[in-house]
Amino acid sequence: MKVGEFQKLINITPNAYSRFMGQHGKDKGLESSVYIPAWAFFRRRELKGIKSKPNKKMKKDDGAAEGGKDSVPSVDDVRLEGEEEDKVEIFDTCDDIRKKINAHLKKPGVTQASFLRCASASFHTKPRKLTSAQLSAFRSKKGPYDGNMTGIYYGAYVYFEKLRIKEGKPESKKRLEMEEIHPYGMETGHRMDCLIVRKGDSWHHDAYGKVIVNRGSRS
């Protein structure tokens, strides 16, 4: 059974599943909305005599990066909240995504072309084919919001978030802080490089994408 099918079957959200799976310890997750439905699901299977089988070792054809050319981990069985409408909320800055892209492209067997295919697959309402030129332009920028309206930013975020869930990794400390600072995700609908301030003042975005106004002298 695929992860997305399991989530629908026990009526839980991808975000709740992600948070639950990212916890470790026998008492961690007891208050999660995932715990009881998942327990009931497996208990019913147990009473019916159905044994859960461990996942088979992933084959190269399944997309695992095992040194083969043009291969990346498959995340086709993971679905995020809002993905079908291309409205996944983003909790990484553009700089965070650039770092993830750079690190990902250094993995054995990962190519730029294969990464672009995975990022392009993040779009559903209006299919897009992201290009190497777009990727290069995005990677050349600098700043938490520089590139926020690009397809690379959204597509890469969705792919990396699905990959994190697939690998069972917890949300990072910064990710949790980003959810508090940007409860509805980073802005992707318009540019964030303009702000009206008083004469003598200046402003910038900090590492979390928050606006910081520097008060100038009032003469």
Side-chain angles (χ1 to χ4, degrees), residues 108-157:
V110 175
T111 67
Q112 182 171 284
S114 62
F115 166 69
L116 286 169
R117 283 196 294 272
C118 288
S120 297
S122 301
F123 297 90
H124 299 281
T125 60
K126 294 181 180 180
R128 299 181 64 170
K129 184 177 181 180
L130 302 175
T131 67
S132 58
Q134 292 171 330
L135 177 60
S136 178
F138 179 76
R139 294 175 71 188
S140 69
K141 298 178 184 295
K142 184 177 181 181
Y145 266 113
D146 286 0
N148 68 308
M149 295 179 65
T150 65
I152 293 291
Y153 178 49
Y154 178 86
Y157 175 83

Side-chain angles (χ1 to χ4, degrees), residues 80-95:
L80 303 181
E81 194 167 350
E83 183 180 348
E84 298 301 323
E85 297 79 32
D86 294 340
K87 293 182 179 180
V88 173
E89 295 176 345
I90 298 179
F91 298 105
D92 279 334
T93 67
C94 291
D95 283 339

Side-chain angles (χ1 to χ4, degrees), residues 1-11 77 79:
M1 181 183 296
K2 295 182 178 180
V3 174
E5 295 172 344
F6 176 69
Q7 292 170 353
K8 290 181 180 179
L9 191 61
I10 66 173
N11 194 29
D77 59 341
R79 280 290 178 268

